[in-house]
Amino acid sequence: MLRIHFDERDIARVQIAAEPDPLWETVLAMHQLTAPGNGLPPYAAWRMRARAELAERGLTRAARLISALAPGDARYFPDFLTPDEGRHGLAAGLTALRETPRARLTAELRRAALPARLPRWAGAVAKGSRAPLDELADAFRQVHGTVVAPDWTEATATAARDRAGRARTLCHGGVDRMLNSFRPYLRWEPPVLHVDYPREGDLRLHGRGLRLVPSHFCWRRPIALADPDLPPVLVHPVEHTTAWAPATTRACHPQALSALLGRTRARVLTALDAPATTGELARRLRVSAPSASEHVSALREANLAHSRRDGGSVVHALTPLGAALLHGELAPVRGV
């Protein structure tokens, strides 16, 4: 159990990240790729495609380097792999990774007990060479581009749906209710947030606040940085749609999509650019609630909208396909 201790300043400084962090997503994607057996069901099709793509592009060694530094079964992996600058995009995160101070590198690698698994790489780091960090940053860039970036539209969409639900809860019930919305893997007992975690620990925020980062590849339990002096962050799982599949295996439904060519359905699609309940959607469109519900059902059939229950309401939002149809392009990968 990880206990995160808040004070009055921290409550006011809770943040919800606007989108997933590309370095965290790459590390966690490698965890899913190396999971024993057939892996977790939501990622089964993705795993097949990712392995094939990495092998075809000759990136198996690059993927192994990341996995060796951050094995999925480890209770700890080095914090320098996921620098805070990653919130600003892949390029900013990789620049920060390359500039990790030597003393920090050595300390974190020693804590992770990795030198024996990466003797040459870790040995070069210990001698002060910057080449290993360049190699690692390049591995991140290539692996991210191959197995994470193709599904970035879906990753940002699942994060957006999660963030919209948390924001709605925050508006209706404040920070207390919002933090309680993360159950069962988080339990809020003011002023302490109890996190389902593989090891015992305490993190005191001391007025720095906490940044909550939704993650497409995180599963079952959240992950935090080990160093209490680093900017506090908690990466947490999101709910995946039942229709999620890797970009190369998604199918469309032409007959259902044809129903969207009418003017009214186009208005509904546009109105859902911001998530809404059935009642809110009806007010935006100036139609009855049953009519709004009927149109959303048609969008769901075409995999253009997604609905989920939030307390006593059902919140509707666009899927990645719906957003792409509305805006005419897929969501970009920032900082590549």
Side-chain angles (χ1 to χ4, degrees), residues 3-310:
R3 293 167 292 275
I4 302 178
H5 300 263
F6 287 68
D7 63 25
E8 294 84 355
R9 298 167 297 171
D10 298 311
I11 295 294
R13 292 172 182 168
V14 173
Q15 302 176 38
I16 302 176
E19 62 184 17
D21 183 299
L23 273 75
W24 274 105
E25 291 304 285
T26 304
V27 168
L28 295 172
M30 290 300 95
H31 287 182
Q32 300 301 340
L33 195 61
T34 57
N38 295 322
L40 299 166
Y43 307 102
W46 171 84
R47 281 162 56 102
M48 293 178 61
R49 188 209 67 185
R51 285 173 173 162
E53 288 288 327
L54 289 171
E56 182 178 337
R57 301 189 187 190
L59 295 176
T60 302
R61 183 176 181 276
R64 284 176 179 167
L65 174 59
I66 298 172
S67 295
L69 285 164
D73 58 352
R75 293 167 66 88
Y76 166 80
F77 60 81
D79 291 331
F80 73 80
L81 297 175
T82 53
D84 187 63
E85 289 81 357
R87 71 168 74 189
H88 302 302
L90 182 63
L94 294 183
T95 296
L97 187 153
R98 286 189 177 96
E99 295 174 353
T100 306
R102 177 183 171 186
R104 178 181 171 188
L105 283 170
T106 304
E108 292 188 4
L109 289 173
R110 185 181 297 117
R111 178 176 182 177
L114 291 171
R117 303 175 69 171
L118 292 168
R120 293 183 181 177
W121 194 93
V125 168
K127 293 177 182 177
S129 172
R130 308 306 294 181
L133 287 181
D134 290 337
E135 179 187 4
L136 178 59
D138 193 50
F140 262 97
R141 181 182 58 79
Q142 294 184 85
V143 170
H144 178 275
T146 301
V147 303
V148 176
D151 294 295
W152 196 251
T153 297
E154 174 67 19
T156 55
T158 54
R161 286 193 295 269
D162 186 89
R163 185 177 64 252
R166 309 297 177 192
R168 183 179 300 276
T169 303
L170 178 67
C171 290
H172 291 171
V175 175
D176 276 353
R177 184 173 170 187
M178 189 271 288
L179 290 176
N180 269 315
S181 73
F182 286 91
R183 288 177 179 265
Y185 51 80
L186 297 183
R187 188 176 76 256
W188 174 235
E189 296 179 357
V192 181
L193 184 65
H194 299 262
V195 184
D196 180 17
Y197 220 64
R199 56 184 172 81
E200 289 290 321
D202 289 272
L203 173 60
R204 300 185 186 279
L205 300 179
H206 296 307
R208 295 173 296 168
L210 180 68
R211 189 164 68 95
L212 300 163
V213 183
S215 169
H216 185 67
F217 285 104
C218 187
W219 187 256
R220 289 203 177 105
R221 59 174 52 157
I223 302 178
L225 296 171
D227 188 342
D229 294 327
L230 292 173
V233 62
L234 193 66
V235 179
H236 64 87
V238 296
E239 179 185 354
H240 291 83
T241 64
T242 56
W244 181 70
T248 57
T249 63
R250 294 189 192 116
C252 61
H253 306 279
Q255 292 182 344
L257 286 173
S258 68
L260 300 175
L261 297 178
R263 179 172 176 270
T264 303
R265 295 279 162 78
R267 290 181 61 223
V268 176
L269 191 74
T270 302
L272 285 179
D273 200 21
T277 64
T278 303
E280 290 168 342
L281 183 61
R283 287 191 291 274
R284 289 178 190 177
L285 298 172
R286 297 183 180 179
V287 298
S288 67
S291 177
S293 180
E294 178 184 350
H295 290 305
V296 171
S297 295
L299 295 179
R300 279 200 307 269
E301 287 297 319
N303 196 27
L304 296 173
H306 165 74
S307 302
R308 70 176 185 84
R309 182 162 293 280
D310 181 17

